[in-house]
Amino acid sequence: MLQIDKILTLRNVLTSWRRERQTIVFVPTMGNLHAGHLALVQHARKLGERVIVSIFVNPLQFGINEDYDAYPRTLELDVQKLASEGVDILFTPSVLELYPRARKDLTTVNVPIISDILCGAARPGHFSGVATVVTLLFNLVQPRIAIFGEKDYQQLLIIKRLVEDLFLPIAIVSHPTVREADGLAMSSRNNYLNPVERKLAPYLHQTLVKMRDNLLMGITNYTALEQEGRDALLAAGFNPDYCVIRSALDLSLPINNDRQLIILAAAYLGKTRLIDNIKVHS
Ligand code: AMP
């Protein structure tokens, strides 16, 4: 595996691969890799000849009071994991390499409306930071295929929109959420949970499963179900940010004959913000 941190080096290697018409599959990450990330990488391996993973903790997508500095950085371990997955290139640019200009001078990318709801409402500027870095990385790597996890469902839809609106010739492939044995969605932020919080954390997934079961049983009062979900999370010791039923196509408010629904929640457990979602009809 080549570990590259300079744009120029990356471009030189990629040019020769492209000349040989090799399919490049790209998995962007912020590192601190767990089995969820590795599942994306394994899927990438099946889709093309060359797999590129990036690790970049993107300052643009963190709010001023968020965990940019504290975000777990475990490069040495990540390198070992990716090398044993047969990754071809690990791209690890510095902040200065990707953003040579001052923050206020940067060209940014914004996908309107869908970026301003749910996690976007709670984290202003977050999805513009995501859309900007993903666009930069797409332009540098120019993959044929890029893989994103369904764990970050709103992010996945925003990236699909970005690719569509900017006519980028990249297929966006999604991968189901990988969970711990007790149902908790794997996340680098699970590291922040203390033992008591960690025991409680799977209740977020359980709440979504219960809401899904109620929908599948034919309950159509979405507002009441959402309130029930919020109340259950509160009673269990979470501080819910949102717990909603939406259209899985664009996260708009569902209408009663909508066939593709998704339930999404974000909730604080202590200081840790957890997110999860579950499709109603898989
Ligand atoms: P991150 O490093 O958190 O930015 O995540 C990098 C990629 O991995 C994103 O596409 C995430 O959606 C995906 N991802 C993170 N956690 C999981 C998980 N538990 N299951 C599947 N994909 C995940």
Side-chain angles (χ1 to χ4, degrees), residues 8-224:
L8 202 67
T9 320
L10 180 75
R11 285 209 153 126
N12 286 338
V13 177
L14 292 180
T15 306
S16 70
W17 288 358
R18 245 179 245 110
R19 230 179 269 127
E20 295 160 20
R21 297 194 170 277
Q22 306 200 4
T23 304
I24 295 169
V25 190
F26 179 43
V27 183
T29 81
M30 297 204 297
N32 190 238
L33 303 177
H34 50 64
H37 296 111
L38 298 182
L40 268 56
V41 172
Q42 286 151 14
H43 193 50
R45 267 265 66 98
K46 292 188 197 133
L47 297 181
E49 288 100 8
R50 296 294 188 176
V51 175
I52 303 187
V53 175
S54 64
I55 293 181
F56 181 67
V57 184
N58 174 30
L60 242 53
Q61 70 189 68
F62 287 80
I64 23 175
N65 294 318
E66 291 184 2
D67 55 342
Y68 175 71
D69 289 324
Y71 197 84
R73 290 159 171 89
T74 52
L75 186 62
E76 242 175 77
L77 276 172
D78 293 348
V79 167
Q80 286 172 20
K81 289 176 186 171
L82 294 174
S84 58
E85 293 294 345
V87 167
D88 296 283
I89 291 180
L90 168 59
F91 183 47
T92 50
S94 66
V95 172
L96 204 64
E97 186 75 5
L98 277 200
Y99 302 129
R101 293 184 204 282
R103 192 156 176 161
K104 65 176 180 24
D105 293 334
L106 289 175
T107 299
T108 55
V109 179
N110 187 44
V111 179
I113 303 169
I114 190 171
S115 295
D116 299 328
I117 58 173
L118 305 178
C119 281
R123 307 181 66 190
H126 169 67
F127 286 120
S128 171
V130 170
T132 300
V133 78
V134 169
T135 304
L136 289 188
L137 291 168
F138 280 177
N139 283 332
L140 294 172
V141 175
Q142 297 184 24
R144 181 68 207 89
I145 300 168
I147 307 192
F148 291 85
E150 287 172 10
K151 151 111 198 320
D152 301 280
Y153 194 79
Q154 189 173 3
Q155 168 176 286
L156 170 67
L157 290 189
I158 287 168
I159 286 158
K160 283 185 174 169
R161 267 284 308 278
L162 173 149
V163 162
E164 193 180 318
D165 292 356
L166 301 182
F167 300 103
L168 301 181
I170 302 171
I172 302 301
V173 171
S174 66
H175 190 285
T177 302
V178 178
R179 298 179 181 281
E180 302 285 358
D182 59 12
L184 174 66
M186 287 190 180
S187 164
S188 305
R189 290 194 168 100
N190 294 348
N191 291 329
Y192 299 152
L193 300 170
N194 69 32
V196 177
E197 292 165 346
R198 175 62 190 82
K199 257 194 125 163
L200 203 59
Y203 192 71
L204 180 60
H205 176 58
Q206 287 161 23
T207 305
L208 300 188
V209 170
K210 192 161 170 219
M211 289 172 75
R212 180 193 61 189
D213 292 347
N214 280 325
L215 285 170
L216 289 174
M217 277 185 339
I219 295 180
T220 51
N221 188 339
Y222 299 151
T223 318

